[in-house]
Amino acid sequence: MIKQNDNLKYEVFVTDQVSLCRRLFTSPRFYVVFLVVQVAIIALVISMWDSDSYSTGQMVVITDRQMQEVLFNGTEQHFYFTGYLWDTTNTTDGAHISKCPIISPYLVGYRKPVINERIVWEEVLEKYKAVRCDSHFQPSNCKARQKVALIVPFRDRYAHLEVFLRHIHPFLMRQQLDYGIYVIDLDDKIKFNRGLLLNVGFIEASKEYDYDCYIFHDVDLLPENDKNLYRCSDQPRHMSVAVDKFAYKLPYAAIFGGVSAMTKDQILFVNGFSNKFSGWGGEDDDMFNRLKHHNMTVMRSMDDVSMYKMLKHKQSDPNPQRFKLIKTGMKRVKEDGVKNLQYKIMKKTEFPLYTYIKITF
Ligand code: NGS
């Protein structure tokens, strides 16, 4: 009796469910809701796909697409980014010289680097209204919006240095920057150490001039588009996003090598680069971890702007210890960096186009 009663209840339940489903599927309201939900899901997927942001662990990497778009496609009233970089007021300084325009009139956009281009320096200075002042170059007719030090770690690649200088000077002059170039070399007896040389460059350039921005730049990378602005932002920037060697694609999301830009505060905040990476590789990955460890965000430009040609060279010997060092890196952040760095200057020469510094311990 009890059993029969249960069966009856079950049958009533099933019948209810079937009629509910039937009513649902025949109701036009159901299809409208179904359609709206589908459209919302598709829109969400597209927006995530198209997004400029992606996450690597806790760290968000965003492009400065917005910055570039406003700079080159926007109108004047939209220039309300972070104060000092983007203000449009043509104020005058003590020397009564007005600020350079936000967009330099000399920019040409994409231009394939010409390796053996001959240059008459006087003509270049005249064309872009630039002058040399102590160890740096600056526009002669306006006040640059940022003072930028290019720090180039160096070992015995004079052929590359020559090509690099011929390319980078006119490039930086077209951006109307106040800039100095520091080529930092290491005693030949000591294994090459990119991170350590970048730290030395930062310290030495800071002694010479009140730079706003430090660009760590490999000598074999030539920027192809002068809309790739050599300026710092309120977060560290990785600039060599699209290199021809990697088919103009970012090789991996956490890369911070090649060309990167940081302000003095950003560098000091993370204690600069590690000094422990002797030989090739890993010091930039360690820097990425330092930025992540300090909850900073890496900015990247659009890859059609941040295109680079890499000059051909023999691959250096990788440091077999690099992965172990990266793994243990965050334990050493406080005592391994610019703060503890000790070195002696073996040679310092101010050449017309760059300052050369060779160090030892
Ligand atoms: C990674 C290196 C980075 C280097 C990057 C690109 O493998 O230091 O390649 O190098 N990391 C490690 O080895 C752990 S490149 O081909 O541009 O010279 O920056």
Side-chain angles (χ1 to χ4, degrees):
M1 190 66 199
I2 294 161
K3 255 185 172 178
Q4 263 181 7
N5 200 14
D6 278 356
N7 273 345
L8 196 68
K9 273 187 193 163
Y10 180 70
E11 269 170 35
V12 170
F13 172 75
V14 169
T15 321
D16 278 356
Q17 294 299 308
V18 170
S19 73
L20 182 75
C21 284
R22 198 171 291 146
R23 262 187 286 138
L24 202 65
F25 286 118
T26 51
S27 149
R29 211 181 291 162
F30 168 78
Y31 288 101
V32 171
V33 172
F34 184 69
L35 208 70
V36 168
V37 170
Q38 273 204 329
V39 168
I41 290 171
I42 291 167
L44 189 74
V45 169
I46 289 174
S47 78
M48 282 165 71
W49 186 270
D50 196 36
S51 163
D52 291 335
S53 311
Y54 53 92
S55 180
T56 53
Q58 322 161 10
M59 170 98 147
V60 177
V61 182
I62 53 169
T63 73
D64 48 358
R65 173 190 288 269
Q66 195 187 11
M67 171 176 107
Q68 302 276 347
E69 272 177 1
V70 172
L71 267 176
F72 299 109
N73 307 324
T75 54
E76 286 278 307
Q77 74 261 31
H78 291 124
F79 291 114
Y80 291 115
F81 279 85
T82 50
Y84 75 104
L85 259 182
W86 311 112
D87 75 28
T88 53
T89 48
N90 249 5
T91 53
T92 52
D93 70 355
H96 304 292
I97 171 170
S98 54
K99 271 189 189 175
C100 296
I102 290 172
I103 304 168
S104 162
Y106 303 121
L107 297 184
V108 292
Y110 178 83
R111 181 189 270 181
K112 196 176 163 63
V114 183
I115 305 297
N116 292 316
E117 193 168 36
R118 293 197 61 78
I119 273 180
V120 182
W121 290 101
E122 291 71 24
E123 282 176 14
V124 173
L125 290 169
E126 176 55 32
K127 188 169 173 189
Y128 302 127
K129 303 276 173 289
V131 284
R132 190 186 150 106
C133 166
D134 299 328
S135 57
H136 51 105
F137 289 79
Q138 58 190 37
S140 60
N141 55 353
C142 60
K143 187 173 158 59
R145 286 178 176 263
Q146 278 200 11
K147 301 190 284 292
V148 180
L150 251 71
I151 314 293
V152 183
F154 185 74
R155 165 143 297 170
D156 198 26
R157 286 212 199 141
Y158 282 95
H160 281 181
L161 183 60
E162 204 183 321
V163 174
F164 177 73
L165 292 168
R166 279 202 303 250
H167 181 77
I168 209 76
H169 274 288
F171 175 91
L172 297 170
M173 285 173 192
R174 289 203 298 276
Q175 295 194 359
Q176 294 187 307
L177 290 169
D178 181 347
Y179 70 91
I181 299 180
Y182 297 83
V183 174
I184 317 292
D185 200 354
L186 186 59
D187 189 342
D188 304 334
K189 294 195 285 292
I190 304 170
K191 235 182 180 176
F192 186 70
N193 184 328
R194 184 174 179 269
L196 184 142
L197 292 179
L198 296 177
N199 283 342
V200 170
F202 163 68
I203 295 168
E204 290 302 317
S206 312
K207 288 182 195 164
E208 297 230 327
Y209 195 42
D210 181 26
Y211 288 108
D212 303 310
C213 179
Y214 296 81
I215 301 202
F216 303 115
H217 209 304
D218 284 354
V219 72
D220 55 2
L221 284 174
L222 308 179
E224 300 184 354
N225 189 329
D226 57 17
K227 289 185 178 180
N228 178 5
L229 300 179
Y230 273 36
R231 295 178 182 179
C232 279
S233 191
D234 53 0
Q235 291 291 330
R237 295 181 67 199
H238 176 239
M239 305 181 67
S240 48
V241 176
V243 181
D244 62 348
K245 176 185 171 181
F246 300 117
Y248 295 105
K249 296 268 178 300
L250 198 67
Y252 58 99
I255 193 167
F256 200 68
V259 185
S260 54
M262 292 169 77
T263 63
K264 186 180 276 184
D265 288 348
Q266 289 161 1
I267 296 167
L268 293 177
F269 189 49
V270 300
N271 194 15
F273 285 83
S274 164
N275 301 311
K276 300 244 182 257
F277 287 78
S278 291
W280 182 89
E283 78 298 326
D284 52 328
D285 303 301
D286 182 83
M287 172 54 95
F288 188 91
N289 288 343
R290 286 178 179 226
L291 302 175
K292 181 172 157 181
H293 187 75
H294 291 82
N295 293 319
M296 295 171 96
T297 300
V298 169
M299 310 269 291
R300 290 208 173 99
S301 299
M302 293 178 285
D303 50 11
D304 56 341
V305 169
S306 41
M307 293 169 81
Y308 284 80
K309 176 177 181 54
M310 189 185 275
L311 298 171
K312 288 202 171 51
H313 57 84
K314 208 175 106 242
Q315 173 73 43
S316 318
D317 291 337
N319 169 11
Q321 301 297 319
R322 64 196 191 286
F323 294 108
K324 205 167 143 202
L325 283 166
I326 292 172
K327 217 169 163 189
T328 54
M330 290 318 99
K331 291 188 193 142
R332 294 187 305 270
V333 178
K334 284 204 177 101
E335 73 273 8
D336 170 22
V338 281
K339 285 175 199 155
N340 73 323
L341 183 53
Q342 309 242 321
Y343 59 91
K344 284 187 229 134
I345 292 184
M346 289 171 81
K347 201 172 170 187
K348 179 168 175 178
T349 315
E350 268 188 21
F351 289 112
L353 299 179
Y354 65 100
T355 303
Y356 173 85
I357 298 172
K358 189 168 190 167
I359 62 134
T360 190
F361 301 117

